Amino acid sequence: AQSVTQLGSHVSVSEGALVLLRCNYSSSVPPYLFWYVQYPNQGLQLLLKYTSAATLVKGINGFEAEFKKSETSFHLTKPSAHMSDAAEYFCAVSPRRGSSNTGKLIFGQGTTLQVKP
Amino acid sequence: GAVVSQHPSRVICKSGTSVKIECRSLDFQATTMFWYRQFPKQSLMLMATSNEGSKATYEQGVEKDKFLINHASLTLSTLTVTSAHPEDSSFYICSARDLKGQPNTGELFFGEGSRLTVL
């Protein structure tokens, strides 16, 4: 079974500092991987996704993530944090088409990003 | 990206009443939609997979008689919380995939969520 683990339920950085949110997955075959952001009382917005093209994926709002098969990781980074980046971030995994793909996403526990002025 | 809309965004009801939440795909057709539940400060938990024209598939531990799902058309799925109680208070989020013309990359588009408060 697939699973996702986000290390650190809460991350605090200063404005302008590097953002690093960690995500490790467990899967017998490389899955599709996603990062979503959620602002208070809102749904989820896709930041970026890995679907087996380039291992370094660039997303919206300056975020990027690197798929490392050897480490089963898909950490999210941003060189310089903005106050507007404060939100909840979720890493998610989905099996690839052709396997037992029901299309559902499995989410990590979420990481709250706090950005201090 | 594709747009998924939920209604209502907030609902308050009395204990024992039923509440219906709608999820619509506005610019694409969705044969499958997903319903998630999110408790405060927690992750999303998949409740069920809604299949157009057939019965929903519920995750283990989710009461199908409590959470009725109907997917009557390719653009609309509804979740009805029957005989709601305070413990049903939560944030409910739906999602769908746009499969038309694109390979399945598993990406889901999410609605804005519906916050249910049962008094």
Side-chain angles (χ1 to χ4, degrees), chain A residues 97, chain B residues 28-29 97-105:
Chain A
R97 184 174 61 172
Chain B
F28 67 101
Q29 294 182 330
R97 277 188 300 149
D98 181 4
L99 297 178
K100 183 180 179 182
Q102 298 293 330
N104 174 15
T105 60

Side-chain angles (χ1 to χ4, degrees), chain B residues 2-15:
Chain B
V3 178
V4 175
S5 178
Q6 274 184 249
H7 178 80
S9 59
R10 290 179 178 271
V11 57
I12 301 173
C13 69
K14 294 181 178 180
S15 184

Side-chain angles (χ1 to χ4, degrees), chain A residues 15-37:
Chain A
E15 190 174 19
L18 171 71
V19 175
L20 171 60
L21 304 182
R22 300 177 185 275
C23 173
N24 288 87
Y25 69 91
S26 173
S27 178
S28 57
V29 296
Y32 296 131
L33 292 160
F34 307 86
W35 274 100
Y36 284 88
V37 61

Side-chain angles (χ1 to χ4, degrees), chain A residues 32 34 36 38 41-44 46 49 51 88 90 94 97 101-110, chain B residues 10 32 34 36 38 42-44 46 49 59 91 93 97 103-113 115:
Chain A
Y32 296 131
F34 307 86
Y36 284 88
Q38 184 182 33
N41 294 310
Q42 295 187 28
L44 275 67
L46 180 69
K49 61 184 178 183
T51 58
E88 189 78 12
F90 292 97
S94 174
R97 184 174 61 172
N101 183 7
T102 61
K104 60 185 179 183
L105 285 179
I106 300 169
F107 286 89
Q109 305 91 322
Chain B
R10 290 179 178 271
T32 303
F34 303 90
Y36 290 84
Q38 185 180 32
Q42 295 189 26
S43 187
L44 282 74
L46 180 65
T49 302
E59 296 298 303
F91 195 54
I93 306 176
R97 277 188 300 149
N104 174 15
T105 60
E107 176 183 350
L108 290 182
F109 297 95
F110 286 82
E112 310 94 326
R115 182 162 300 284

Side-chain angles (χ1 to χ4, degrees), chain A residues 21-88:
Chain A
L21 304 182
R22 300 177 185 275
C23 173
N24 288 87
Y25 69 91
S26 173
S27 178
S28 57
V29 296
Y32 296 131
L33 292 160
F34 307 86
W35 274 100
Y36 284 88
V37 61
Q38 184 182 33
Y39 297 99
N41 294 310
Q42 295 187 28
L44 275 67
Q45 179 183 10
L46 180 69
L47 281 176
L48 48 80
K49 61 184 178 183
Y50 167 74
T51 58
S52 81
T55 55
L56 180 61
V57 181
K58 293 186 183 298
I60 63 172
N61 301 338
F63 284 94
E64 62 181 39
E66 185 172 7
F67 172 71
K68 291 186 176 180
K69 183 179 178 181
S70 61
E71 299 178 7
T72 61
S73 69
F74 190 57
H75 301 331
L76 181 71
T77 61
K78 181 174 181 177
S80 177
H82 294 162
M83 297 297 292
S84 60
D85 293 328
E88 189 78 12

